[in-house]
Structures are given as structure tokens and as C-alpha cells.
Amino acid sequence: MNVQSHLFVLAYLPVTLAAWRLLDSRLNSRAARVFLLCAGVLFCGWGAPLALLVLAGEGAASYLLGRRIARNPGKGRPLLWAGAALLLAVLAFFKYTGFALSLTPLEGLFSPPAYLAPLGLSFVTFQQIFWLRDCYDREVGTDVTPLDYACCLTFFATATCGPITRVGELAPRLRRPAPFSWDDLAAGLYCFGLGLAKKVLLAAIFANGANFGYANIKYLSPVDAILVILCYTLQIYFDFSGYCDMASGMARMMGISLPVNFNSPYQAVSIKDFWGRWHITLSRFFRQCVYIPLGGNRRGAAVTCRNITIIFLLSGLWHGAGWGFIIWGALHGAAQVVERLGKGKISLPKPLAWLLTFIFVNAAWVFFRADSLRQALDLLGRLFQGNWGLPTPEFAAALPLEVLSNGLNYLQELWMPGGRVLIYWVPLLMIPLGLALLACPNPTAQAERFRPTAWKAALCVLCIVVSVLFFSGVDTFIYANF
């Protein structure tokens, strides 16, 4: 089930929130959690009900293994490795079989059935590995029941795109949610509304520019190429931050707090700073489950640089099965190695450090977005062609959503020749507007000190209403594909 759909926003979410609060306050937390599990199963199995069998199988196996690891510390390490290998094998089967076969003469011979792949498989796999690791480290309580565990794996707010939660953190919050308050409801609804608008309105606009550019690389001018790269940078920002805001808002309305997963990453002044702000829970997973077990920074500079490289290669591979994702991860890993080796030797003014970081992140996104290495290099190559000038009218025309495009065409007919200026410049001005919005605090951060006001209520209602009207044709979240 897509969270950016009429069914979810107008039916599933309000019914689930109301029933959750009613059961938790009138009956007991167990009844509320049984309902939440049923709601989560419905959400996760809506488009592929048979995938629930895979999720249930690996969920039962990981829960029992975790319990056994906690009871047998001496035998915990072999069980931990066996459990992680099992979970990663399931992930590899569904996500990497096609990529692996493409490297052999068997390309195209077999494809894993999509109807068996659980929703958010990459996220739920890491969530279960985290559970095994926490059981091994004795960092999770013995009071986590099978019901608690199943609720954590199917929690609709995090199932699609995270954050990657730890069962030991989430389960107690599901058992004892904060009492209902109008302030929490208002703050959660505000986060949800603004996050929804980020996805449906802003990310969709910049997706138009990015999709047009990547489909027409050979016709792009250098300025067009720069704007196409910026469009994808803005698209993935508003897409992912939008979902993080929505997830945080939905949980807040239920009296549940989620870990912060997004904190203005394009304000970072280094690549290390960027990864402290972008997909924070993924960085936490790799630090706890890969970087530290490999030795972290305790065995000298060479081993530390090796470990950094490994976790970023794995991060790239986690995002997708393709060379572009691996190169993207390798670039970020190399940048962090350079930063670490140069620490204390090079000091840049903060504005220059921010600019260099932002340029690097933009360039790396090209490999992340491109369909092939050749396509990525072709787009970057357009930056060094001649014919510098204003963006082409074709690129400007590709940016706006259909309703805005129709409105501009209507104004053009009414006001000639001035209408040509509007239809060209209004779409292009969306890019500097998007860049300006990067300086705004995230709604999730605002919610921590939220005070309901009339203008915030009006903004929230406007975002939700307009987003619902624009649902048709909106793609799924980018991170839902990972």
C-alpha cells in the first residue's frame, strides 16, 4: 500500500489512528498491539499477500535465534553469524540475483518472483540483523514478546522506507505509548502534512526535470546539465526527507517517538558531516554491525581507512544492485578517507567547505541516478561542452506539474507576448526556490518545540488537501525501491 494514495490518507491512516488510541485507552496495550499487527499485516501484504509468508518465516527464525543467542552467550557468535547469513541470503536472492546473473552468460534466465518479496525488504533485513546484534550484546530486554517483535517488523510508519529501528527501542514505545494529547496530534499532523507535500508537490516537480534530462542527455546544454543534476539532488532530498517527516508525524500521532533519520544534510560542511545527517539510522547500523566489529578506528590509520571503504561499498550495494550504486558508495568512502587523512592538516573556511561538499554530493548523485556508467559520464561530459547560455525552453517546459503547465499555457494565450516570459521563467524559478527551502528546518525538528497556531493549521490543511488532489501519477518513494 502506498502512503501517498487516497486509500491510505483518507481511510487507512485515520481508521488506524482512531482504533489504536481507542483500544489503548479503553482496553489494554495488548489489544492495541494485536490491532496494530493486523493493520501492519494489511499494509505490508496489500500488494503482495504471499510475501507475508517470507516475512513471517524469516521473522520467526530471527526472533527465535535472537532469544537463543541471549540465553547462550558462549554460543552466541556462531548463531549471530548464521542468523545474519540467513537474512542476507534472503535479501540477496530477491535483490541481487538479476545483477549477479548479468555478470554471467545466464543473464535474463531467471528473475525472483516480485510477489514474494516483502515490502521494504532491505530495511526489515537490517532491522532483524540489528536485533540479533543487540541480543548478542545483551542490549535488548528479555520482555520482548513475539507480538512485540511482529509489530516492530510490520509497523506501517517505518515499513516502506525506514527509519531502521531497533526492536529494543521501538517495542517498549509500542507497549507504552504516550497518553493522547492534542499537542501531539497537531505536531504529528503538521509533520505528516508538510512531508506529504514535499513528496507529492516538490519532489514530483524536480523529478520531471531529472527524468527529462536523463532521457535527453545528448540534447542538453551545459546549463541544462547543471540544472538536471540539481533537480535530482532536490528530488531525492524532498522525497526522502518527506517520507521521514511523514513517518515521524504518523508515529507522533500514535504517541510513539522514532529515531531522527534526517537532519538537513545539504547544510553539511564535510562528507562525514553529511552522513551524520543523511539516513542517520543506516549509518548507525553500519557503524554498530560492520565498522566496529571490523575494528573501527582502533587498529591504526590503514585499517580505519579500509573499514571506511568497506562500509561505504556495502552502503552503495545496499541501495541497489548496479555498478552506479557501487561507484556512488566508493566515491563517498574515498572522500571520507581523504577527509580523515587530511584532518588537522587542511582547514577550509566554512562557506568553502560547504560549497565543496555540496558540489561533491551533487556529482556523486549522478552515478546513483544514472541507468549506466556511460549515461553518468555522458551527463557529466555535457558540463564541458560549449554553447553556454540560458536554459533551453524544452527543459523549462518539462519542469512543472501538469496543472501548472496548463495554467501557464492559458496565461500565455491571454497575454502575448508576455505569456512567453511566464511559461519560461516560472518553472525555472522553482529550482532556486527549492534550494532556498534547504535552509529551512525540518518539520520533525520543529515538532519537538511545536506550538499550534492558526497559520500552521492553515498550512498543514493546504498541504494535505493539495497533495491529495495531486496524487494521480505520483511515483513511489525513491527509497521504497531499495
Side-chain angles (χ1 to χ4, degrees), residues 199 203 234-243 476-479:
K199 165 61 182 175
L234 293 171
Q235 178 196 353
I236 197 168
Y237 176 90
F238 288 115
D239 186 283
F240 190 39
S241 70
Y243 186 87
T476 188
F477 287 92
I478 292 175
Y479 264 75

Side-chain angles (χ1 to χ4, degrees), residues 63-105:
Y63 176 78
L64 294 174
L65 271 174
R67 278 283 164 249
R68 189 168 180 183
I69 290 169
R71 290 194 302 265
N72 300 277
K75 300 179 180 179
R77 184 177 291 273
L79 293 175
L80 171 63
W81 281 104
L86 172 65
L87 294 167
L88 291 174
V90 174
L91 176 65
F93 173 74
F94 285 107
K95 192 169 180 178
Y96 304 108
T97 298
F99 177 64
L101 290 179
S102 70
L103 305 177
T104 72

Side-chain angles (χ1 to χ4, degrees), residues 359-380:
I359 291 173
F360 174 86
V361 169
N362 273 265
W365 281 137
V366 173
F367 295 93
F368 190 92
R369 167 61 177 81
D371 296 329
S372 65
L373 177 59
R374 178 60 183 268
Q375 188 183 49
L377 295 176
D378 285 346
L379 178 57
L380 293 173

